[in-house]
Amino acid sequence: MALFGVSSAFLAYTFTYAFATLGCGVALVRARRVTDPDTRRGLVGLLAASGGWAALELAFLVAPTPATAYAAYTLSLIVGLTTVGAWLYFCSAYTGRSFHRDRLYRRLSVAVYLAIVAVKLTNPIHGLYFDTAFVTTPFPHLTIAHDLFHWLVSGLSYALVAVGFFMLYEMFLDADFDTRPLAALVGVTGLPVALDVVGFASDYLIDINYEPIGVAVFAVGTLYVFQSEFLAVQLTDGVDDPVIYLDGDVIRQYNGMAERLFPALSGSVGESFASVAPDAAAALDTDTQILERSRDGAPAYYLVSDTTFALGQADIGRLVVFTEVTETETQRRELRRQNEQLEGFAAAVRHELLNTLQVLGARVDIAGEALDDGDLTAARDSLQTASSTTDRMASVVDDLATLARHGQTVESAETERVPLADIAGEAWERADSGAMTLAVDGAATLVADPERLRSLFVDAFDFAAHNGATTVTVRPADDGFTVTDDGAPVGDTDPDEFFEYGSAIPDAEAGLDLPNVRMLAETHGWDVTLDTAYRDGIRIVVGAVATLQTADDAAAESAVSRR
């Protein structure tokens, strides 16, 4: 019993196969512009074969005579069989495999194809492939009764097509994209198999090949509706990096790694890339194109690059790829920091040498004049001053040598948990603290190299002494700690000058102290600034200490004082 009336059923079938023919033809135009040559050849072959298959099935339906219909159907079987080879060629090329280039596979495929075609062409003689009969329901047409050889060939064809499905689905699973639309389109390609079974086993559909319909839907969907996803998955195959696909500045797709790197991407399809990931968009406009992100409390660096992909000469999208370069960028920054440190050392040494030579020259001249005048006491005093000046110069050189050893970035093996109060107390004993008083306000522990941290506090305390302080206070901060003295405030002086080697702030002897503090902090990855809002002295702020842990509130209220 037919499902449709005669006229409506005939129109439904003819329009469906006309759509399949037209769909494959339209998609063929765009498929010829696919950039990858192997994928292009496979896809063009698949669409040409499927379009020809659909056109011959349409001719079979509208043929004016049974003889014409028989010839159209036989040709459709010959052309339709080529879709299996084209499908496998396309799947192999699209997924980055090399089966389609293997000469053995290609020769074997041609031999099997020619053998099957020979059986089909000689079907009128042996009748092993199909039989025909003219029927009038659901509309007048030549019906097909497939025989044993047809089902053997169909079984082989479906098995080979399943191999292509496996290649595609494996790629989709590994792509880390939302490939559900593509997977659904691929599934549509296999749906006509079920229609074939229904047509064979019931009267609801006529017994005809429905495969060209699925291929047409797949082609139109991948090349027009989901063209960006179709090409993006292939372009990023084997790329284990975060990837975002853009249409202009609009987000169209992203993989799971990108979403983990930028949680704001979740649900952002259709939004502006610059609004969702402004730091990444800004990085693209820089010379280095380096993006810094925090990962597990430590900085991670990514090289941000974008590439335009196209169909032929038409640009259809942009891929933004984030390649992790943490190790390389860390080394580059360390090298830059060390170069800046060496330049600072050179400036400090030059500054100290010039000061020393000027003092020595002046004192020797004074001593000579005093001897000419017979004033031995004045001559002795001048020579003693010259001697102490050279001693200070030797001390400065020794200090710079120590800093050069400490100037390398702290490795994790060199660190340990250090109580802030203990290390500050040890540094206080070594510093030239004079009559100053130290207060450690609050308890905290941080992970650091004890020797470098101790030297940092010594230089901070020495600076306070030169700054005229009477009290120095060390206390934990939100992400670090502060060292505050009640000496001369910053005033109108540029705070950066305090951290430049040889700036001589507040005097010549203190010119190395704060530059040393910053250098020793940077070896730990910490930041050092001056709190310009503090007006009652100098407050040194050490920040970005990710491993600092403050004690509970009760312990934080305690204070340790030293004299």
Side-chain angles (χ1 to χ4, degrees), residues 108-131:
L108 181 62
S109 299
V110 172
V112 171
Y113 173 76
L114 292 176
I116 295 174
V117 168
V119 175
K120 292 181 178 182
L121 290 175
T122 57
N123 184 71
I125 300 174
H126 51 70
L128 294 176
Y129 210 91
F130 65 90
D131 296 317

mmCIF file with all atom_site columns, all heavy atoms in Angstrom, residues 108-131:
data_model
loop_
_atom_site.group_PDB
_atom_site.id
_atom_site.type_symbol
_atom_site.label_atom_id
_atom_site.label_alt_id
_atom_site.label_comp_id
_atom_site.label_asym_id
_atom_site.label_entity_id
_atom_site.label_seq_id
_atom_site.pdbx_PDB_ins_code
_atom_site.Cartn_x
_atom_site.Cartn_y
_atom_site.Cartn_z
_atom_site.occupancy
_atom_site.B_iso_or_equiv
_atom_site.pdbx_formal_charge
_atom_site.auth_seq_id
_atom_site.auth_comp_id
_atom_site.auth_asym_id
_atom_site.auth_atom_id
_atom_site.pdbx_PDB_model_num
ATOM 1   N N   . LEU A 1 108 ? 44.360 -1.371  -6.585  1.00 0.00 ? 108 LEU A N   1
ATOM 2   C CA  . LEU A 1 108 ? 43.399 -2.379  -6.155  1.00 0.00 ? 108 LEU A CA  1
ATOM 3   C C   . LEU A 1 108 ? 41.967 -1.857  -6.285  1.00 0.00 ? 108 LEU A C   1
ATOM 4   O O   . LEU A 1 108 ? 41.058 -2.587  -6.711  1.00 0.00 ? 108 LEU A O   1
ATOM 5   C CB  . LEU A 1 108 ? 43.697 -2.780  -4.709  1.00 0.00 ? 108 LEU A CB  1
ATOM 6   C CG  . LEU A 1 108 ? 42.797 -3.862  -4.099  1.00 0.00 ? 108 LEU A CG  1
ATOM 7   C CD1 . LEU A 1 108 ? 42.934 -5.164  -4.883  1.00 0.00 ? 108 LEU A CD1 1
ATOM 8   C CD2 . LEU A 1 108 ? 43.151 -4.081  -2.629  1.00 0.00 ? 108 LEU A CD2 1
ATOM 9   N N   . SER A 1 109 ? 41.770 -0.595  -5.932  1.00 0.00 ? 109 SER A N   1
ATOM 10  C CA  . SER A 1 109 ? 40.430 0.008   -6.025  1.00 0.00 ? 109 SER A CA  1
ATOM 11  C C   . SER A 1 109 ? 39.945 0.037   -7.469  1.00 0.00 ? 109 SER A C   1
ATOM 12  O O   . SER A 1 109 ? 38.781 -0.283  -7.768  1.00 0.00 ? 109 SER A O   1
ATOM 13  C CB  . SER A 1 109 ? 40.464 1.432   -5.455  1.00 0.00 ? 109 SER A CB  1
ATOM 14  O OG  . SER A 1 109 ? 40.840 1.421   -4.101  1.00 0.00 ? 109 SER A OG  1
ATOM 15  N N   . VAL A 1 110 ? 40.834 0.425   -8.388  1.00 0.00 ? 110 VAL A N   1
ATOM 16  C CA  . VAL A 1 110 ? 40.457 0.481   -9.808  1.00 0.00 ? 110 VAL A CA  1
ATOM 17  C C   . VAL A 1 110 ? 40.122 -0.912  -10.326 1.00 0.00 ? 110 VAL A C   1
ATOM 18  O O   . VAL A 1 110 ? 39.132 -1.108  -11.063 1.00 0.00 ? 110 VAL A O   1
ATOM 19  C CB  . VAL A 1 110 ? 41.587 1.115   -10.643 1.00 0.00 ? 110 VAL A CB  1
ATOM 20  C CG1 . VAL A 1 110 ? 41.283 0.986   -12.145 1.00 0.00 ? 110 VAL A CG1 1
ATOM 21  C CG2 . VAL A 1 110 ? 41.757 2.584   -10.271 1.00 0.00 ? 110 VAL A CG2 1
ATOM 22  N N   . ALA A 1 111 ? 40.922 -1.909  -9.929  1.00 0.00 ? 111 ALA A N   1
ATOM 23  C CA  . ALA A 1 111 ? 40.679 -3.278  -10.401 1.00 0.00 ? 111 ALA A CA  1
ATOM 24  C C   . ALA A 1 111 ? 39.332 -3.793  -9.911  1.00 0.00 ? 111 ALA A C   1
ATOM 25  O O   . ALA A 1 111 ? 38.550 -4.385  -10.685 1.00 0.00 ? 111 ALA A O   1
ATOM 26  C CB  . ALA A 1 111 ? 41.806 -4.194  -9.929  1.00 0.00 ? 111 ALA A CB  1
ATOM 27  N N   . VAL A 1 112 ? 39.027 -3.581  -8.612  1.00 0.00 ? 112 VAL A N   1
ATOM 28  C CA  . VAL A 1 112 ? 37.754 -4.031  -8.060  1.00 0.00 ? 112 VAL A CA  1
ATOM 29  C C   . VAL A 1 112 ? 36.595 -3.285  -8.737  1.00 0.00 ? 112 VAL A C   1
ATOM 30  O O   . VAL A 1 112 ? 35.558 -3.888  -9.077  1.00 0.00 ? 112 VAL A O   1
ATOM 31  C CB  . VAL A 1 112 ? 37.721 -3.828  -6.534  1.00 0.00 ? 112 VAL A CB  1
ATOM 32  C CG1 . VAL A 1 112 ? 36.325 -4.097  -5.977  1.00 0.00 ? 112 VAL A CG1 1
ATOM 33  C CG2 . VAL A 1 112 ? 38.739 -4.725  -5.857  1.00 0.00 ? 112 VAL A CG2 1
ATOM 34  N N   . TYR A 1 113 ? 36.769 -1.988  -8.940  1.00 0.00 ? 113 TYR A N   1
ATOM 35  C CA  . TYR A 1 113 ? 35.716 -1.177  -9.578  1.00 0.00 ? 113 TYR A CA  1
ATOM 36  C C   . TYR A 1 113 ? 35.406 -1.706  -10.989 1.00 0.00 ? 113 TYR A C   1
ATOM 37  O O   . TYR A 1 113 ? 34.238 -1.900  -11.347 1.00 0.00 ? 113 TYR A O   1
ATOM 38  C CB  . TYR A 1 113 ? 36.147 0.280   -9.651  1.00 0.00 ? 113 TYR A CB  1
ATOM 39  C CG  . TYR A 1 113 ? 35.208 1.160   -10.437 1.00 0.00 ? 113 TYR A CG  1
ATOM 40  C CD1 . TYR A 1 113 ? 34.003 1.581   -9.892  1.00 0.00 ? 113 TYR A CD1 1
ATOM 41  C CD2 . TYR A 1 113 ? 35.520 1.542   -11.736 1.00 0.00 ? 113 TYR A CD2 1
ATOM 42  C CE1 . TYR A 1 113 ? 33.124 2.371   -10.619 1.00 0.00 ? 113 TYR A CE1 1
ATOM 43  C CE2 . TYR A 1 113 ? 34.652 2.336   -12.467 1.00 0.00 ? 113 TYR A CE2 1
ATOM 44  C CZ  . TYR A 1 113 ? 33.453 2.743   -11.907 1.00 0.00 ? 113 TYR A CZ  1
ATOM 45  O OH  . TYR A 1 113 ? 32.595 3.518   -12.637 1.00 0.00 ? 113 TYR A OH  1
ATOM 46  N N   . LEU A 1 114 ? 36.439 -1.959  -11.777 1.00 0.00 ? 114 LEU A N   1
ATOM 47  C CA  . LEU A 1 114 ? 36.227 -2.424  -13.141 1.00 0.00 ? 114 LEU A CA  1
ATOM 48  C C   . LEU A 1 114 ? 35.559 -3.802  -13.155 1.00 0.00 ? 114 LEU A C   1
ATOM 49  O O   . LEU A 1 114 ? 34.703 -4.080  -14.017 1.00 0.00 ? 114 LEU A O   1
ATOM 50  C CB  . LEU A 1 114 ? 37.563 -2.475  -13.892 1.00 0.00 ? 114 LEU A CB  1
ATOM 51  C CG  . LEU A 1 114 ? 38.204 -1.112  -14.179 1.00 0.00 ? 114 LEU A CG  1
ATOM 52  C CD1 . LEU A 1 114 ? 39.569 -1.302  -14.840 1.00 0.00 ? 114 LEU A CD1 1
ATOM 53  C CD2 . LEU A 1 114 ? 37.297 -0.251  -15.053 1.00 0.00 ? 114 LEU A CD2 1
ATOM 54  N N   . ALA A 1 115 ? 35.925 -4.650  -12.199 1.00 0.00 ? 115 ALA A N   1
ATOM 55  C CA  . ALA A 1 115 ? 35.314 -5.977  -12.140 1.00 0.00 ? 115 ALA A CA  1
ATOM 56  C C   . ALA A 1 115 ? 33.823 -5.867  -11.827 1.00 0.00 ? 115 ALA A C   1
ATOM 57  O O   . ALA A 1 115 ? 32.981 -6.558  -12.450 1.00 0.00 ? 115 ALA A O   1
ATOM 58  C CB  . ALA A 1 115 ? 36.017 -6.831  -11.092 1.00 0.00 ? 115 ALA A CB  1
ATOM 59  N N   . ILE A 1 116 ? 33.472 -5.004  -10.879 1.00 0.00 ? 116 ILE A N   1
ATOM 60  C CA  . ILE A 1 116 ? 32.054 -4.839  -10.519 1.00 0.00 ? 116 ILE A CA  1
ATOM 61  C C   . ILE A 1 116 ? 31.283 -4.215  -11.668 1.00 0.00 ? 116 ILE A C   1
ATOM 62  O O   . ILE A 1 116 ? 30.141 -4.613  -11.968 1.00 0.00 ? 116 ILE A O   1
ATOM 63  C CB  . ILE A 1 116 ? 31.938 -3.986  -9.244  1.00 0.00 ? 116 ILE A CB  1
ATOM 64  C CG1 . ILE A 1 116 ? 32.568 -4.726  -8.050  1.00 0.00 ? 116 ILE A CG1 1
ATOM 65  C CG2 . ILE A 1 116 ? 30.483 -3.637  -8.945  1.00 0.00 ? 116 ILE A CG2 1
ATOM 66  C CD1 . ILE A 1 116 ? 32.619 -3.896  -6.776  1.00 0.00 ? 116 ILE A CD1 1
ATOM 67  N N   . VAL A 1 117 ? 31.875 -3.232  -12.353 1.00 0.00 ? 117 VAL A N   1
ATOM 68  C CA  . VAL A 1 117 ? 31.217 -2.604  -13.501 1.00 0.00 ? 117 VAL A CA  1
ATOM 69  C C   . VAL A 1 117 ? 30.940 -3.639  -14.595 1.00 0.00 ? 117 VAL A C   1
ATOM 70  O O   . VAL A 1 117 ? 29.881 -3.626  -15.244 1.00 0.00 ? 117 VAL A O   1
ATOM 71  C CB  . VAL A 1 117 ? 32.078 -1.446  -14.042 1.00 0.00 ? 117 VAL A CB  1
ATOM 72  C CG1 . VAL A 1 117 ? 31.559 -0.982  -15.411 1.00 0.00 ? 117 VAL A CG1 1
ATOM 73  C CG2 . VAL A 1 117 ? 32.059 -0.279  -13.063 1.00 0.00 ? 117 VAL A CG2 1
ATOM 74  N N   . ALA A 1 118 ? 31.903 -4.530  -14.776 1.00 0.00 ? 118 ALA A N   1
ATOM 75  C CA  . ALA A 1 118 ? 31.702 -5.567  -15.796 1.00 0.00 ? 118 ALA A CA  1
ATOM 76  C C   . ALA A 1 118 ? 30.487 -6.421  -15.466 1.00 0.00 ? 118 ALA A C   1
ATOM 77  O O   . ALA A 1 118 ? 29.690 -6.774  -16.358 1.00 0.00 ? 118 ALA A O   1
ATOM 78  C CB  . ALA A 1 118 ? 32.961 -6.436  -15.889 1.00 0.00 ? 118 ALA A CB  1
ATOM 79  N N   . VAL A 1 119 ? 30.305 -6.760  -14.182 1.00 0.00 ? 119 VAL A N   1
ATOM 80  C CA  . VAL A 1 119 ? 29.146 -7.544  -13.772 1.00 0.00 ? 119 VAL A CA  1
ATOM 81  C C   . VAL A 1 119 ? 27.864 -6.755  -14.004 1.00 0.00 ? 119 VAL A C   1
ATOM 82  O O   . VAL A 1 119 ? 26.842 -7.305  -14.468 1.00 0.00 ? 119 VAL A O   1
ATOM 83  C CB  . VAL A 1 119 ? 29.272 -7.977  -12.303 1.00 0.00 ? 119 VAL A CB  1
ATOM 84  C CG1 . VAL A 1 119 ? 28.000 -8.686  -11.838 1.00 0.00 ? 119 VAL A CG1 1
ATOM 85  C CG2 . VAL A 1 119 ? 30.472 -8.881  -12.116 1.00 0.00 ? 119 VAL A CG2 1
ATOM 86  N N   . LYS A 1 120 ? 27.883 -5.461  -13.696 1.00 0.00 ? 120 LYS A N   1
ATOM 87  C CA  . LYS A 1 120 ? 26.692 -4.630  -13.867 1.00 0.00 ? 120 LYS A CA  1
ATOM 88  C C   . LYS A 1 120 ? 26.313 -4.501  -15.331 1.00 0.00 ? 120 LYS A C   1
ATOM 89  O O   . LYS A 1 120 ? 25.118 -4.570  -15.700 1.00 0.00 ? 120 LYS A O   1
ATOM 90  C CB  . LYS A 1 120 ? 26.926 -3.241  -13.259 1.00 0.00 ? 120 LYS A CB  1
ATOM 91  C CG  . LYS A 1 120 ? 27.052 -3.253  -11.739 1.00 0.00 ? 120 LYS A CG  1
ATOM 92  C CD  . LYS A 1 120 ? 27.265 -1.850  -11.194 1.00 0.00 ? 120 LYS A CD  1
ATOM 93  C CE  . LYS A 1 120 ? 27.342 -1.857  -9.670  1.00 0.00 ? 120 LYS A CE  1
ATOM 94  N NZ  . LYS A 1 120 ? 27.497 -0.511  -9.081  1.00 0.00 ? 120 LYS A NZ  1
ATOM 95  N N   . LEU A 1 121 ? 27.316 -4.286  -16.182 1.00 0.00 ? 121 LEU A N   1
ATOM 96  C CA  . LEU A 1 121 ? 27.039 -4.112  -17.606 1.00 0.00 ? 121 LEU A CA  1
ATOM 97  C C   . LEU A 1 121 ? 26.522 -5.396  -18.251 1.00 0.00 ? 121 LEU A C   1
ATOM 98  O O   . LEU A 1 121 ? 25.747 -5.356  -19.227 1.00 0.00 ? 121 LEU A O   1
ATOM 99  C CB  . LEU A 1 121 ? 28.301 -3.632  -18.331 1.00 0.00 ? 121 LEU A CB  1
ATOM 100 C CG  . LEU A 1 121 ? 28.752 -2.196  -18.027 1.00 0.00 ? 121 LEU A CG  1
ATOM 101 C CD1 . LEU A 1 121 ? 30.069 -1.892  -18.710 1.00 0.00 ? 121 LEU A CD1 1
ATOM 102 C CD2 . LEU A 1 121 ? 27.684 -1.194  -18.480 1.00 0.00 ? 121 LEU A CD2 1
ATOM 103 N N   . THR A 1 122 ? 26.951 -6.516  -17.727 1.00 0.00 ? 122 THR A N   1
ATOM 104 C CA  . THR A 1 122 ? 26.515 -7.802  -18.303 1.00 0.00 ? 122 THR A CA  1
ATOM 105 C C   . THR A 1 122 ? 25.290 -8.361  -17.585 1.00 0.00 ? 122 THR A C   1
ATOM 106 O O   . THR A 1 122 ? 24.923 -9.522  -17.800 1.00 0.00 ? 122 THR A O   1
ATOM 107 C CB  . THR A 1 122 ? 27.663 -8.826  -18.233 1.00 0.00 ? 122 THR A CB  1
ATOM 108 O OG1 . THR A 1 122 ? 28.089 -8.974  -16.865 1.00 0.00 ? 122 THR A OG1 1
ATOM 109 C CG2 . THR A 1 122 ? 28.848 -8.382  -19.085 1.00 0.00 ? 122 THR A CG2 1
ATOM 110 N N   . ASN A 1 123 ? 24.655 -7.556  -16.750 1.00 0.00 ? 123 ASN A N   1
ATOM 111 C CA  . ASN A 1 123 ? 23.483 -8.029  -16.020 1.00 0.00 ? 123 ASN A CA  1
ATOM 112 C C   . ASN A 1 123 ? 22.367 -8.549  -16.932 1.00 0.00 ? 123 ASN A C   1
ATOM 113 O O   . ASN A 1 123 ? 21.698 -9.537  -16.595 1.00 0.00 ? 123 ASN A O   1
ATOM 114 C CB  . ASN A 1 123 ? 22.946 -6.915  -15.121 1.00 0.00 ? 123 ASN A CB  1
ATOM 115 C CG  . ASN A 1 123 ? 21.781 -7.384  -14.266 1.00 0.00 ? 123 ASN A CG  1
ATOM 116 O OD1 . ASN A 1 123 ? 21.963 -8.165  -13.328 1.00 0.00 ? 123 ASN A OD1 1
ATOM 117 N ND2 . ASN A 1 123 ? 20.584 -6.917  -14.587 1.00 0.00 ? 123 ASN A ND2 1
ATOM 118 N N   . PRO A 1 124 ? 22.119 -7.938  -18.114 1.00 0.00 ? 124 PRO A N   1
ATOM 119 C CA  . PRO A 1 124 ? 21.067 -8.486  -18.991 1.00 0.00 ? 124 PRO A CA  1
ATOM 120 C C   . PRO A 1 124 ? 21.329 -9.935  -19.397 1.00 0.00 ? 124 PRO A C   1
ATOM 121 O O   . PRO A 1 124 ? 20.390 -10.660 -19.760 1.00 0.00 ? 124 PRO A O   1
ATOM 122 C CB  . PRO A 1 124 ? 21.097 -7.561  -20.207 1.00 0.00 ? 124 PRO A CB  1
ATOM 123 C CG  . PRO A 1 124 ? 21.644 -6.272  -19.677 1.00 0.00 ? 124 PRO A CG  1
ATOM 124 C CD  . PRO A 1 124 ? 22.664 -6.674  -18.660 1.00 0.00 ? 124 PRO A CD  1
ATOM 125 N N   . ILE A 1 125 ? 22.601 -10.357 -19.330 1.00 0.00 ? 125 ILE A N   1
ATOM 126 C CA  . ILE A 1 125 ? 22.932 -11.723 -19.739 1.00 0.00 ? 125 ILE A CA  1
ATOM 127 C C   . ILE A 1 125 ? 22.712 -12.703 -18.600 1.00 0.00 ? 125 ILE A C   1
ATOM 128 O O   . ILE A 1 125 ? 22.068 -13.749 -18.772 1.00 0.00 ? 125 ILE A O   1
ATOM 129 C CB  . ILE A 1 125 ? 24.395 -11.788 -20.229 1.00 0.00 ? 125 ILE A CB  1
ATOM 130 C CG1 . ILE A 1 125 ? 24.599 -10.853 -21.427 1.00 0.00 ? 125 ILE A CG1 1
ATOM 131 C CG2 . ILE A 1 125 ? 24.805 -13.217 -20.555 1.00 0.00 ? 125 ILE A CG2 1
ATOM 132 C CD1 . ILE A 1 125 ? 26.044 -10.736 -21.886 1.00 0.00 ? 125 ILE A CD1 1
ATOM 133 N N   . HIS A 1 126 ? 23.272 -12.368 -17.396 1.00 0.00 ? 126 HIS A N   1
ATOM 134 C CA  . HIS A 1 126 ? 23.233 -13.336 -16.299 1.00 0.00 ? 126 HIS A CA  1
ATOM 135 C C   . HIS A 1 126 ? 22.176 -13.031 -15.240 1.00 0.00 ? 126 HIS A C   1
ATOM 136 O O   . HIS A 1 126 ? 21.774 -13.902 -14.475 1.00 0.00 ? 126 HIS A O   1
ATOM 137 C CB  . HIS A 1 126 ? 24.604 -13.443 -15.624 1.00 0.00 ? 126 HIS A CB  1
ATOM 138 C CG  . HIS A 1 126 ? 25.188 -12.118 -15.234 1.00 0.00 ? 126 HIS A CG  1
ATOM 139 N ND1 . HIS A 1 126 ? 24.703 -11.340 -14.219 1.00 0.00 ? 126 HIS A ND1 1
ATOM 140 C CD2 . HIS A 1 126 ? 26.243 -11.423 -15.762 1.00 0.00 ? 126 HIS A CD2 1
ATOM 141 C CE1 . HIS A 1 126 ? 25.419 -10.242 -14.107 1.00 0.00 ? 126 HIS A CE1 1
ATOM 142 N NE2 . HIS A 1 126 ? 26.368 -10.256 -15.047 1.00 0.00 ? 126 HIS A NE2 1
ATOM 143 N N   . GLY A 1 127 ? 21.725 -11.758 -15.158 1.00 0.00 ? 127 GLY A N   1
ATOM 144 C CA  . GLY A 1 127 ? 20.692 -11.398 -14.195 1.00 0.00 ? 127 GLY A CA  1
ATOM 145 C C   . GLY A 1 127 ? 21.099 -11.563 -12.740 1.00 0.00 ? 127 GLY A C   1
ATOM 146 O O   . GLY A 1 127 ? 20.219 -11.720 -11.870 1.00 0.00 ? 127 GLY A O   1
ATOM 147 N N   . LEU A 1 128 ? 22.425 -11.507 -12.435 1.00 0.00 ? 128 LEU A N   1
ATOM 148 C CA  . LEU A 1 128 ? 22.881 -11.687 -11.054 1.00 0.00 ? 128 LEU A CA  1
ATOM 149 C C   . LEU A 1 128 ? 22.797 -10.410 -10.218 1.00 0.00 ? 128 LEU A C   1
ATOM 150 O O   . LEU A 1 128 ? 22.943 -10.459 -8.994  1.00 0.00 ? 128 LEU A O   1
ATOM 151 C CB  . LEU A 1 128 ? 24.345 -12.193 -11.055 1.00 0.00 ? 128 LEU A CB  1
ATOM 152 C CG  . LEU A 1 128 ? 24.579 -13.592 -11.624 1.00 0.00 ? 128 LEU A CG  1
ATOM 153 C CD1 . LEU A 1 128 ? 26.068 -13.919 -11.658 1.00 0.00 ? 128 LEU A CD1 1
ATOM 154 C CD2 . LEU A 1 128 ? 23.833 -14.624 -10.781 1.00 0.00 ? 128 LEU A CD2 1
ATOM 155 N N   . TYR A 1 129 ? 22.586 -9.262  -10.885 1.00 0.00 ? 129 TYR A N   1
ATOM 156 C CA  . TYR A 1 129 ? 22.636 -8.009  -10.145 1.00 0.00 ? 129 TYR A CA  1
ATOM 157 C C   . TYR A 1 129 ? 21.239 -7.489  -9.805  1.00 0.00 ? 129 TYR A C   1
ATOM 158 O O   . TYR A 1 129 ? 20.974 -7.120  -8.670  1.00 0.00 ? 129 TYR A O   1
ATOM 159 C CB  . TYR A 1 129 ? 23.412 -6.955  -10.933 1.00 0.00 ? 129 TYR A CB  1
ATOM 160 C CG  . TYR A 1 129 ? 24.111 -5.962  -10.019 1.00 0.00 ? 129 TYR A CG  1
ATOM 161 C CD1 . TYR A 1 129 ? 25.398 -6.185  -9.587  1.00 0.00 ? 129 TYR A CD1 1
ATOM 162 C CD2 . TYR A 1 129 ? 23.444 -4.824  -9.574  1.00 0.00 ? 129 TYR A CD2 1
ATOM 163 C CE1 . TYR A 1 129 ? 26.040 -5.286  -8.731  1.00 0.00 ? 129 TYR A CE1 1
ATOM 164 C CE2 . TYR A 1 129 ? 24.064 -3.939  -8.731  1.00 0.00 ? 129 TYR A CE2 1
ATOM 165 C CZ  . TYR A 1 129 ? 25.359 -4.167  -8.305  1.00 0.00 ? 129 TYR A CZ  1
ATOM 166 O OH  . TYR A 1 129 ? 25.960 -3.303  -7.449  1.00 0.00 ? 129 TYR A OH  1
ATOM 167 N N   . PHE A 1 130 ? 20.341 -7.416  -10.766 1.00 0.00 ? 130 PHE A N   1
ATOM 168 C CA  . PHE A 1 130 ? 18.981 -6.950  -10.478 1.00 0.00 ? 130 PHE A CA  1
ATOM 169 C C   . PHE A 1 130 ? 18.034 -7.407  -11.575 1.00 0.00 ? 130 PHE A C   1
ATOM 170 O O   . PHE A 1 130 ? 18.439 -7.708  -12.699 1.00 0.00 ? 130 PHE A O   1
ATOM 171 C CB  . PHE A 1 130 ? 18.929 -5.421  -10.323 1.00 0.00 ? 130 PHE A CB  1
ATOM 172 C CG  . PHE A 1 130 ? 19.260 -4.647  -11.575 1.00 0.00 ? 130 PHE A CG  1
ATOM 173 C CD1 . PHE A 1 130 ? 18.272 -4.289  -12.486 1.00 0.00 ? 130 PHE A CD1 1
ATOM 174 C CD2 . PHE A 1 130 ? 20.578 -4.271  -11.850 1.00 0.00 ? 130 PHE A CD2 1
ATOM 175 C CE1 . PHE A 1 130 ? 18.575 -3.580  -13.632 1.00 0.00 ? 130 PHE A CE1 1
ATOM 176 C CE2 . PHE A 1 130 ? 20.889 -3.564  -12.996 1.00 0.00 ? 130 PHE A CE2 1
ATOM 177 C CZ  . PHE A 1 130 ? 19.891 -3.211  -13.889 1.00 0.00 ? 130 PHE A CZ  1
ATOM 178 N N   . ASP A 1 131 ? 16.773 -7.453  -11.197 1.00 0.00 ? 131 ASP A N   1
ATOM 179 C CA  . ASP A 1 131 ? 15.693 -7.716  -12.150 1.00 0.00 ? 131 ASP A CA  1
ATOM 180 C C   . ASP A 1 131 ? 14.759 -6.514  -12.151 1.00 0.00 ? 131 ASP A C   1
ATOM 181 O O   . ASP A 1 131 ? 14.728 -5.731  -11.185 1.00 0.00 ? 131 ASP A O   1
ATOM 182 C CB  . ASP A 1 131 ? 14.912 -8.973  -11.748 1.00 0.00 ? 131 ASP A CB  1
ATOM 183 C CG  . ASP A 1 131 ? 15.781 -10.223 -11.815 1.00 0.00 ? 131 ASP A CG  1
ATOM 184 O OD1 . ASP A 1 131 ? 16.541 -10.365 -12.789 1.00 0.00 ? 131 ASP A OD1 1
ATOM 185 O OD2 . ASP A 1 131 ? 15.698 -11.041 -10.862 1.00 0.00 ? 131 ASP A OD2 1
#
